[in-house]
Amino acid sequence: MLDDITYAKFVDALKELTDIGNSLGKATTEVQAEINGPIVMSMTLFTRAWTNFRGVQLLWQADLILEAEIVLRSLIETAICLANLDVRREEFVKDLGEDLSHTMHGAVRMMRKAEYDFAEVIEKDFADVLENKGEQLR
């Protein structure tokens, strides 16, 4: 349990981070870049981190601590991705593509085991996307 002074400092820090995040978010609305470039990937990851941060705040303030911790994990993973993108731009983007491919193939396998009749349609659509737009991750 936090004492009142520590809690007030924590809330002030959250407000300061909120101001910084809002400022950065506003700045990204005026950036023009290639859709597949590292700048767009950075802005996308920042937006995800920012919405996760806001989600953690709202859930924590609503005393939904477990839910806040779940979203916090996503925030930490996104921060790791941002750091990774900074250090290993090209390799990281390639790794994301491979991870997406692995995840989608695993999902299709699970759909087949559950005998969903749309598994083949999803697999074909995914293969088409990789073949035609493999560099574009959504």
Side-chain angles (χ1 to χ4, degrees):
M1 190 72 175
L2 297 175
D3 61 64
D4 289 343
I5 294 171
T6 304
Y7 180 78
K9 287 180 181 178
F10 179 68
V11 170
D12 287 344
L14 287 178
K15 287 178 185 174
E16 187 175 337
L17 286 171
T18 299
D19 291 343
I20 292 168
N22 284 334
S23 176
L24 287 170
K26 186 174 187 268
T28 65
T29 63
E30 300 175 19
V31 173
Q32 294 186 5
E34 291 184 33
I35 189 74
N36 298 323
I39 291 172
V40 172
M41 179 70 70
S42 295
M43 291 187 311
T44 301
L45 287 170
F46 167 77
T47 301
R48 180 176 181 183
W50 181 238
T51 58
N52 285 168
F53 174 76
R54 296 289 296 139
V56 169
Q57 277 186 301
L58 293 171
L59 291 166
W60 177 74
Q61 290 169 344
D63 204 28
L64 297 169
I65 305 306
L66 177 61
E67 291 77 6
E69 289 176 354
I70 291 167
V71 178
L72 179 60
R73 178 180 176 176
S74 179
L75 172 58
I76 292 167
E77 289 171 353
T78 305
I80 292 168
C81 288
L82 279 164
N84 215 330
L85 182 63
D86 184 47
V87 175
R88 319 173 35 246
R89 286 183 193 268
E90 300 302 322
E91 298 90 357
F92 179 67
V93 172
K94 183 179 177 219
D95 288 349
L96 280 180
E98 290 171 3
D99 184 61
L100 174 63
S101 179
H102 179 75
T103 299
M104 287 300 293
H105 287 295
V108 168
R109 278 194 305 274
M110 294 295 280
M111 286 182 239
R112 282 194 176 132
K113 285 182 182 178
E115 298 181 2
Y116 291 128
D117 57 354
F118 54 82
E120 283 73 24
V121 173
I122 291 172
E123 184 175 36
K124 182 188 177 314
D125 287 350
F126 179 64
D128 290 345
V129 167
L130 281 182
E131 183 177 326
N132 298 321
K133 303 177 189 174
E135 73 283 352
Q136 194 170 22
L137 302 176
R138 295 190 177 195

